[in-house]
Amino acid sequence: VALLCGVLGHLDADGRARLWRRLNRRLAPGGFVVVELMQFEEVSTLPETRLATATAGRHRYEWSFAATPDEARDGAMRLHSTWRVYRDDATQPERAVHDSYRWLPFGLKDVVAESGMTARTLPT
């Protein structure tokens, strides 16, 4: 089994082709590749949305996510993650970390076309 979680959109078409060749050579007969698709098959806009909250001791941790078209307008997107740490019941975070990166949208049909493998959607 190979697990590709949140990685394919970081690779351009050549990078994905190299990845598929390497996986096809190394995967045992009947083996599986599990791919997280991120649900972006085309360039999309997503307002900042809180995806997770967890509490540990006196701290609350929140992860938010957003998406915008990339300024290069070349079929890529910018994905934005923000992690915030709140102490006790504070409404303002005591710390925030922001990250932004390019993402090339793709879907299951792209995985099939590029990899030469068969595919199916797993139940959620």
Side-chain angles (χ1 to χ4, degrees):
V1 172
L3 174 62
L4 303 174
C5 185
V7 298
L8 283 183
H10 291 290
L11 304 174
D12 62 15
D14 290 338
R16 289 191 309 272
R18 285 191 304 276
L19 174 66
W20 296 128
R21 283 193 302 272
R22 292 181 75 179
L23 282 173
N24 279 318
R25 283 194 308 264
R26 290 171 172 82
L27 200 60
F32 291 91
V33 178
V34 178
V35 179
E36 178 192 30
L37 295 176
M38 297 281 294
Q39 302 301 315
F40 293 116
E41 292 189 41
E42 57 189 44
V43 175
S44 304
T45 299
L46 176 70
E48 184 173 345
T49 304
R50 186 174 54 220
L51 297 180
T53 301
T55 302
R58 297 178 64 185
H59 290 91
R60 184 177 80 251
Y61 302 86
E62 294 182 354
W63 171 45
S64 298
F65 187 80
T68 56
D70 190 69
E71 293 175 3
R73 305 204 189 287
D74 60 355
M77 302 169 57
R78 299 290 307 170
L79 301 185
H80 312 278
S81 286
T82 301
W83 295 268
R84 294 179 179 92
V85 180
Y86 298 85
R87 186 175 182 95
D88 297 321
D89 293 327
T91 58
Q92 295 298 313
E94 68 176 27
R95 182 176 41 205
V97 176
H98 307 278
D99 189 21
S100 178
Y101 48 91
R102 268 175 68 82
W103 185 262
L104 298 167
F106 64 93
L108 189 58
K109 66 182 180 337
D110 301 307
V111 170
V112 170
E114 293 177 356
S115 70
M117 299 177 189
T118 59
R120 65 182 168 92
T121 301
L122 296 175
T124 56

